[in-house]
């Protein structure tokens, strides 16, 4: 899905060659400050590399319309973005941004169930806890049904039990739809359990450390 060749970004990223496969779950792990978030920002053109080339579906990423790309490659940043309004408003706004038809209430409540968020659609989103806001932004991304989901530390604010339920559901749904999932995580457990491919970032360079060894991949 993505191929990076000789990519450099400031003094932060220096990647000779890296492949991120389609329809698989790729976990990006590594020490704090190693360049994980910077790498994923390159993948949806929030930033552009200084040298080298990134290909998305075999096309040089810099030749693609960034708005269109970000509709196909949806990123959920580390700190969830929550808008003024209700839970429902916060779910629908992703569809509005991506120019897709709005979802009905059944679909909205189903997606809340998928992310284990027991809140009413009419509730204000502002007072939700950090972990609830993380799940709301995951639900917003799921509704958008993009080609590629990029989640930066999606469950960092969740307890272990909730993390497992949410990840089982979310990874299961993405796999069922045959989409591509890229997760930045500090959790060895998340990487071990869900990754088809593990990429380790260290001082800005990337190495694929596990590939194709997981069942159900
Ligand atoms: N625009 C920028 N200009 C200069 N330095 C930057 C910029 N963005 C990030 N950095 C630095 O690049 C390094 C890598 O940051 P990045 O956020 O990619 O790391 P990370 O692996 O995601 O870390 P963490 O696990 O702590 O979230 C850090 O030292 C950070 O301070």
């Amino acid at each position: 899905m993505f191929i990076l060749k000789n990519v450099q970004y400031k003094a932060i990223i220096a990647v000779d060659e890296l492949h991120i496969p389609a329809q698989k779950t790729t976990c990006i792990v590594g020490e704090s400050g190693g360049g994980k978030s910077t790498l994923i920002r390159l993948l949806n053109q929030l930033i552009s590399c200084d040298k080298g080339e990134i290909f998305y579906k075999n096309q040089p990423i810099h030749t693609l319309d960034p708005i269109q790309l970000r509709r196909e490659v949806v990123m959920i940043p580390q700190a969830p973005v929550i808008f003024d309004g209700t839970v429902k408003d916060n779910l629908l706004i992703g569809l509005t941004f991506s120019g897709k038809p709005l979802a009905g209430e059944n679909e909205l409540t189903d997606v809340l169930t998928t992310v284990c968020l027991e809140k009413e659609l009419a509730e204000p989103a502002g007072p939700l806890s950090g972990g609830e806001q993380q799940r709301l932004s995951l639900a917003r991304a799921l509704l958008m049904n993009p080609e590629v989901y990029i989640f930066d530390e999606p469950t960092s604010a969740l307890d272990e039990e909730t993390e497992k339920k949410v990840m089982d559901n979310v990874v299961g749904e993405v796999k069922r739809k045959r989409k591509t999932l890229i997760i930045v995580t500090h959790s060895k457990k998340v990487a071990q359990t869900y990754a088809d491919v593990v990429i380790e970032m260290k001082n800005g360079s990337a190495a694929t450390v596990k590939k194709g060894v997981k069942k159900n991949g």
Side-chain angles (χ1 to χ4, degrees), residues 147-207:
E147 282 300 310
V148 182
Y149 297 84
I150 305 181
F151 297 148
D152 196 351
E153 294 285 351
T155 52
S156 57
L158 304 186
D159 62 84
E160 220 171 289
E161 194 184 332
T162 310
E163 175 179 72
K164 180 176 178 344
K165 283 189 205 157
V166 172
M167 288 300 294
D168 281 354
N169 289 351
V170 169
V171 175
E173 171 140 351
V174 174
K175 279 197 180 292
R176 208 175 55 250
K177 291 178 171 170
R178 298 183 186 281
K179 305 292 181 164
T180 302
L181 178 57
I182 301 168
I183 306 170
V184 171
T185 181
H186 281 118
S187 164
K188 286 202 170 75
K189 199 166 184 180
V190 166
Q192 274 165 3
T193 310
Y194 301 102
D196 301 306
V197 175
V198 176
I199 292 169
E200 184 167 14
M201 293 291 301
K202 206 172 182 182
N203 295 327
S205 65

Side-chain angles (χ1 to χ4, degrees), residues 14-26:
V15 170
D16 294 340
E17 180 148 354
L18 185 67
H19 293 239
I20 299 178
Q23 298 183 5
K24 299 283 182 199
T25 299
T26 298

Side-chain angles (χ1 to χ4, degrees), residues 59-102:
Q59 289 188 294
I61 212 167
H62 70 266
T63 64
L64 305 174
D65 171 15
I67 307 272
Q68 187 53 37
L69 180 71
R70 284 177 213 136
R71 287 177 174 174
E72 282 193 36
V73 180
V74 167
M75 189 168 108
I76 300 294
Q78 250 180 57
V81 178
I82 297 297
F83 300 88
D84 283 344
T86 62
V87 167
K88 179 177 176 178
D89 296 332
N90 269 272
L91 291 172
L92 292 179
I93 202 160
L95 294 171
T96 306
F97 283 155
S98 56
K100 292 191 169 166
L102 298 185

